[in-house]
Amino acid sequence: MRYDAIVIGIGGMGSAAAWHLASRGRRVLGLEQFTIPHELGSSHGLTRIIRLAYSEHPSYVPLLRRAYELWRAMEQRAGEPLLVITGGVDVGPEASGTIEGSLRSCLEHGLPHELLDAAEIERRFPGFRPPRDLVAVYQPEGGIVLPERSMVVHAAAARELGAEIHEGERVTEWRPEGGGVRVRTEAGEYAADRLVITAGPWASRCVPELARLAIPERQVLIWTQPLRPERFAVGAFPIFNLEAEEGRFYGFPVYGVPGLKLGKYHHLGQQTDPDRVDREFHPEDEAVLRAGIRRYLPDADGETLLMKTCLFTNSPDEHFILDLYPEWPQVSMAAGFSGHGFKFAPVIGEVMADLAMEGGCARFDLGLFGLHRFV
Ligand SMILES: Cc1cc2nc3c(=O)[nH]c(=O)nc-3n(C[C@H](O)[C@H](O)[C@H](O)COP(=O)(O)OP(=O)(O)OC[C@H]3O[C@@H](n4cnc5c(N)ncnc54)[C@H](O)[C@@H]3O)c2cc1C
């Protein structure tokens, strides 16, 4: 059988792309090398931050508004929570990229927010102990999305509409054929009119041109037992980004499993091969995360409950890559999510369905995300 579209990689973005394609009545084949979900890529670890006042760039806000709508729609369809609103704070020095960027998005898009000084941060959220020179942008829409459940429900919804999704089947090669594509896997060969590549940390294996544009980086997360659990419960503690002297920490209230979860952007700065990631934990992994907890969240400085490794896939400017393959417009790619992509998964799925089937995306300005910016 010939498919309308093949999706390589049924992770965060690919599961949503398969769902959007199937919901438009397309014959879809999704190919995933592992299981749905799995713990070897970028989309595990139980929780991801979602926020609307986007410090990275105001261009993301329209995508985010749509992402919130699609998260809610998929929750309704699946009959289970995927998005939990907790409130969020971006914390940092007033002149930092985090604070200035967050305020810029709020002002350009008229987003509800409050600017808090350090004393007010601590009064509202006693789990924080911010140095006096830090301020926060509080945004009521901040919250948590659930990555593993998201992939499961998107893949299940796509399958219900007739999509074929093969797990444990790695794509070894693809090539353009006429106006379409032929895809070879370890198990067989398939033909389709369109190819969508959402291979996460393996992106450059599928598109060699991405070798210097989508670089995997090892991350480590920690969950600690709070010494004062009531200060870190949903309702008492928000999701946060904290730009500090040590770097940028991010974290979550206790949700789903015991423990406050914290990570640090770019952790130890270790680029890696996605098939040879060091998944052991070393004293220096814990030390860099503990330093943030001890200094800024001392009441969470209890025993380590859990640690996990995960992969960022960084683009040079840390903005996403959403585009058609330059020579073959029947091939589209979503890559380089650079540690902040998951919250967008349902809207990236929609964008990829547009790129694949319409050859472009009229509903959003994708100017920030084109491959041309690297030429
Ligand atoms: C520690 C950590 C914390 C993060 N925190 C946040 C956050 O708070 N908020 C946020 O929005 N984002 C966050 N991110 C980023 C976000 O999780 C990623 O941007 C997102 O998960 C990327 O999804 P993806 O679909 O590109 O990759 P993945 O979900 O890894 O999917 C790629 C899939 O492709 C499959 N694949 C690859 N090659 C092949 C092949 N040849 N054949 C078949 N299948 C293949 C892989 O097995 C994989 O399942 C975080 C990331 C990490 C690592």
Side-chain angles (χ1 to χ4, degrees):
M1 140 137 108
R2 188 180 174 89
Y3 297 92
D4 292 326
I6 293 176
V7 181
I8 303 181
I10 304 299
M13 309 304 165
S15 59
W19 150 247
H20 281 282
L21 287 161
S23 69
R24 295 180 195 186
R26 303 297 180 166
R27 276 165 302 163
V28 182
L29 173 63
L31 296 167
E32 169 52 48
Q33 62 184 343
F34 303 128
T35 52
I36 305 169
H38 63 84
E39 296 229 324
L40 302 172
S42 295
S43 300
H44 56 283
L46 304 164
T47 47
R48 290 290 185 272
I49 288 173
I50 184 166
R51 53 199 157 84
L52 187 56
Y54 217 57
S55 54
E56 285 79 352
H57 199 283
S59 296
Y60 287 93
V61 175
L63 287 161
L64 283 161
R65 287 194 199 278
R66 180 68 177 146
Y68 274 86
E69 275 174 24
L70 290 169
W71 281 116
R72 288 300 187 209
M74 186 47 89
E75 274 185 325
Q76 286 245 312
R77 192 180 194 289
E80 63 176 79
L82 297 172
L83 165 62
V84 180
I85 298 296
T86 61
V89 283
D90 283 323
V91 185
E94 209 159 349
S96 62
T98 297
I99 297 296
E100 286 182 348
S102 181
L103 284 174
R104 186 178 160 207
S105 280
C106 289
L107 297 177
E108 278 190 26
H109 292 279
L111 306 178
H113 68 282
E114 290 174 71
L115 192 59
L116 314 179
D117 64 17
E120 183 62 11
I121 300 171
E122 202 172 324
R123 195 189 64 75
R124 285 209 205 172
F125 308 112
F128 281 114
R129 212 58 50 77
R132 294 298 104 179
D133 59 328
L134 298 193
V135 299
V137 179
Y138 172 74
Q139 50 171 306
E141 288 92 347
I144 295 170
V145 290
L146 308 181
E148 286 90 345
R149 291 309 303 162
S150 156
M151 293 183 286
V152 170
V153 302
H154 277 99
R159 280 174 165 141
E160 267 175 37
L161 294 182
E164 268 182 52
I165 297 182
H166 299 183
E167 298 178 51
E169 187 169 343
R170 191 170 68 90
V171 172
T172 53
E173 195 188 334
W174 64 267
R175 60 177 188 278
E177 189 179 71
V181 290
R182 182 160 289 273
V183 173
R184 182 177 295 167
T185 71
E186 287 162 333
E189 235 180 75
Y190 309 94
D193 293 340
R194 301 283 188 269
L195 179 62
V196 176
I197 301 175
T198 47
W202 291 266
S204 68
R205 299 274 161 79
C206 298
V207 181
E209 290 83 345
L210 292 176
R212 277 180 295 118
L213 304 180
I215 300 176
E217 185 189 16
R218 176 178 177 271
Q219 306 297 312
V220 176
L221 295 162
I222 193 168
W223 283 255
T224 61
Q225 174 61 51
L227 305 172
R228 302 195 56 178
E230 74 285 359
R231 295 192 160 184
F232 299 96
V234 170
F237 191 74
I239 56 95
F240 71 89
N241 266 297
L242 193 160
E243 188 174 328
E245 285 163 12
E246 300 87 346
R248 192 168 149 208
F249 296 101
Y250 58 93
F252 304 74
V254 178
Y255 184 85
V257 294
L260 167 111
K261 175 180 165 185
L262 176 130
K264 184 174 179 224
Y265 278 88
H266 304 304
H267 191 57
L268 300 174
Q270 299 161 313
Q271 294 185 1
T272 186
D273 174 325
D275 292 319
R276 289 188 191 77
V277 180
D278 176 4
R279 295 188 190 275
E280 302 288 308
F281 305 115
H282 308 284
E284 57 272 30
D285 289 319
E286 186 164 348
V288 78
L289 302 171
R290 277 278 162 200
I293 293 173
R294 275 199 189 122
R295 181 158 182 207
Y296 303 107
L297 308 162
D299 291 332
D301 194 23
E303 69 171 302
T304 297
L305 300 174
L306 183 66
M307 291 175 77
K308 279 184 190 288
T309 53
C310 189
L311 294 172
F312 280 5
T313 308
N314 300 314
S315 74
D317 58 8
E318 301 197 2
H319 294 307
F320 308 159
I321 298 169
L322 307 173
D323 213 338
L324 302 177
Y325 197 104
E327 291 159 65
W328 301 302
Q330 67 271 41
V331 180
S332 49
M333 63 188 91
F337 288 97
S338 306
H340 63 114
F342 201 90
K343 62 184 76 62
F344 297 87
V347 71
I348 298 297
E350 187 170 53
V351 166
M352 296 316 290
D354 285 352
L355 287 180
M357 304 320 300
E358 320 297 334
C361 177
R363 59 184 98 215
F364 298 109
D365 176 2
L366 299 184
L368 188 63
F369 309 115
L371 272 172
H372 58 81
R373 72 190 195 269
F374 300 119
V375 181

